[in-house]
Amino acid sequence: MKKIHLFGIGVIAIAIAIIISTAGDASQYVNFEQAREMAESGNSNKIHVIGELKKDQNQNVIGVNYQPQIDANYLSFLLIDDNNEEQEVVCYQPPASMKDFEKSEKVVVIGRYLDGKFVASEILMKCPSKYEENTIQVSEVK
């Protein structure tokens, strides 16, 4: 075999090793019940939970506790998952920009259960699109 072939096989072997090592860290989307069961069984991998912020009858977001003047490193909020289960989520390193947090359509929290609370290490927000299709009325010019 030529040296170039051995080098190519080595590169492929290293790429496969990297893929296998990172595949074990891949998290999965679950609801709060599944996340709780995973934590109780000893699984400490990061978990993705998707949900919506809790709202009152007037569609105002409720249950958000974020006071950056007192502690900018603490955020808690109520999230309702796809099975309509409500859970308090705590984040000790909230995103830098919290101005659109309450406008989010969906929120993805990435973290794990600790002491009965879901502790998020990351928060991803799906905000309403400003590019949604609107009805435009066109009048004819005569």
Side-chain angles (χ1 to χ4, degrees), residues 33-118:
E33 181 180 352
Q34 294 168 321
R36 202 172 12 264
E37 290 171 359
M38 291 172 73
E40 290 170 358
S41 69
N43 186 340
S44 62
N45 291 336
K46 287 186 178 181
I47 300 166
H48 287 78
V49 178
I50 221 169
E52 296 180 7
L53 296 172
K54 185 173 182 176
K55 296 179 181 175
D56 62 12
Q57 295 86 357
N58 298 324
Q59 298 301 309
N60 296 318
V61 174
I62 58 173
V64 176
N65 180 13
Y66 181 61
Q67 300 173 350
Q69 321 79 306
I70 298 171
D71 186 359
N73 292 323
Y74 181 82
L75 165 69
S76 70
F77 56 95
L78 298 174
L79 191 68
I80 300 172
D81 69 8
D82 292 336
N83 287 349
N84 289 324
E85 181 179 346
E86 179 181 314
Q87 174 67 49
E88 180 181 16
V89 176
V90 176
C91 182
Y92 295 107
Q93 295 178 337
S97 175
M98 292 296 297
K99 64 180 181 178
D100 292 331
F101 181 70
E102 294 185 2
K103 296 178 185 176
S104 301
E105 288 180 1
K106 293 277 187 178
V107 177
V108 177
V109 290
I110 304 169
R112 59 184 60 92
Y113 264 96
L114 293 172
D115 301 325
K117 294 181 183 175
F118 191 89

Side-chain angles (χ1 to χ4, degrees), residues 111-126:
R112 59 184 60 92
Y113 264 96
L114 293 172
D115 301 325
K117 294 181 183 175
F118 191 89
V119 178
S121 57
E122 295 177 61
I123 300 173
L124 308 173
M125 298 172 274
K126 180 182 184 276

